[in-house]
Structures are given as C-alpha cells and as structure tokens.
Amino acid sequence: MFTTPSLNPGVCCIEPVRHVEFLCQAVYHGRAPEPSHKPTEALIDELLIYYYGTNLAARRAHLKAAHAIHRMGPIVIDERMQFVLFPITTSRSRNPFWVNLHHFLMCTPAGEGMTEIHFNHGMMKRVAADYNFCEKQYEKALRVLDRSTKIREQSALYITRHQKHSQEADFYN
C-alpha cells in the first residue's frame, strides 16, 4: 500500500524530526506538515518508485555518471516542473534535511554551526549545517538542473529535426 505523504512540487522541505512515532515530515507553505514513519530518503525513494518507476539509487548512479557528483547530490525528481530536492545535512541514518530548489531563496549563517534557510514565501528553517556546505549544495542543484534541462532540450531539438527531415524525404519519394 502507498503510504507516502503527497510529496509534490509544493513541498518546501523534508526534515527529520525527533518524535516517538515519526522520523520525518514534509513541510509545505500554508499547509500542515505531513509526518512520516520513514526516514527522508525512504520517503523520497517511495515517491520515485510509485510515480516515476525509478529509485534513489538509480538517480544517484545517474548523478555519478552524468555529472560526476559522488556524494550528497541533488535529486532531479522532474525537470519539466523543476522539482529538484537537494540535501543540506549529512546523516548516518539516511535521514538528511532535503530542500526543494523551487522554493529555496537563500541561506544565511546563524552562528554556532547553524544555518538559516529562507524560502521564497517567507518561511525560515534553522538547520544544523555549515553555511558554506549549504551554498555548495545549492550551487550543485542549480548546475544539475541547468544541465538536465539543456540535455532534454537538445534531445527534443534532435527529434524535431529528425522528424522534419524524414517528412521531407517522404514527400519527395
């Protein structure tokens, strides 16, 4: 049975929580957070399998092969909707803090190894992560989305040109 909260491009972040029953929650703007019994990576993995027929391991293998990103890489869920999640904390329990690139505005240092994440609608979250690391993760996410979008556009352009030439050939034959 599919038990994942409705993860969609409207999610601002997926954050680990310290709760007796829940391991993480999907946070939305203007909506109550949706808690989950699974860690953040398991939640994202279930979303990918259910909706896109792929998994987190396959997306990570693609990041490694296409973009040379070996650790803590952004996961492009759907480049058409610019739904990209990127981790900003490390976790041995595979429960990092994930941010949706579409809703991310900026991050600011908050002192004592903390960073404040600002979202484009005014919400802020304080995270136990280094500011420089957060900035690098943001830059990685932008680079991967840009490259993925360009690859998709080039493929579409090739298909359009190929179809046009084959139609012209059919016309003259």
Side-chain angles (χ1 to χ4, degrees):
M1 181 175 149
F2 187 62
T3 59
T4 299
S6 57
L7 286 182
N8 57 47
V11 69
C12 296
C13 62
I14 304 170
E15 65 180 348
V17 292
R18 294 180 187 203
H19 189 271
V20 176
E21 198 174 331
F22 303 111
L23 293 174
C24 75
Q25 64 183 5
V27 178
Y28 297 85
H29 169 63
R31 215 168 104 180
E34 293 186 23
S36 173
H37 299 286
K38 299 178 179 189
T40 59
E41 288 194 358
L43 189 68
I44 295 168
D45 199 38
E46 189 171 303
L47 163 83
L48 287 168
I49 291 168
Y50 188 77
Y51 288 108
Y52 298 99
T54 185
N55 62 12
L56 205 49
R59 295 290 171 117
R60 284 192 169 130
H62 174 261
L63 271 176
K64 187 175 182 180
H67 305 284
I69 296 174
H70 301 276
R71 291 185 347 99
M72 298 294 290
I75 301 300
V76 177
I77 307 288
D78 193 338
E79 66 259 338
R80 287 183 202 106
M81 295 185 289
Q82 296 189 349
F83 186 17
V84 179
L85 296 173
F86 63 97
I88 58 170
T89 60
T90 57
S91 173
R92 289 183 183 195
S93 63
R94 301 258 184 217
N95 206 16
F97 188 96
W98 291 81
V99 176
N100 185 347
L101 178 64
H102 184 71
H103 294 285
F104 180 85
L105 181 62
M106 66 180 200
C107 57
T108 55
E112 303 171 9
M114 300 292 283
T115 301
E116 199 159 85
I117 305 298
H118 300 262
F119 296 93
N120 59 8
H121 48 75
M123 184 175 75
M124 292 182 278
K125 287 279 183 182
R126 188 171 272 222
V127 183
D130 180 54
Y131 169 75
N132 292 327
F133 180 73
C134 292
E135 282 291 317
K136 285 179 187 174
Q137 289 299 100
Y138 172 61
E139 289 170 10
K140 260 194 231 179
L142 286 176
R143 192 169 55 247
V144 167
L145 177 63
D146 181 52
R147 196 175 289 163
S148 297
T149 304
K150 286 177 182 173
I151 289 169
R152 186 175 52 88
E153 289 171 355
Q154 285 297 321
S155 298
L157 185 61
Y158 173 78
I159 290 169
T160 305
R161 282 184 187 161
H162 184 67
Q163 286 176 345
K164 182 179 175 186
H165 290 299
S166 68
Q167 288 173 350
E168 288 174 356
D170 290 342
F171 179 73
Y172 290 115
N173 288 334

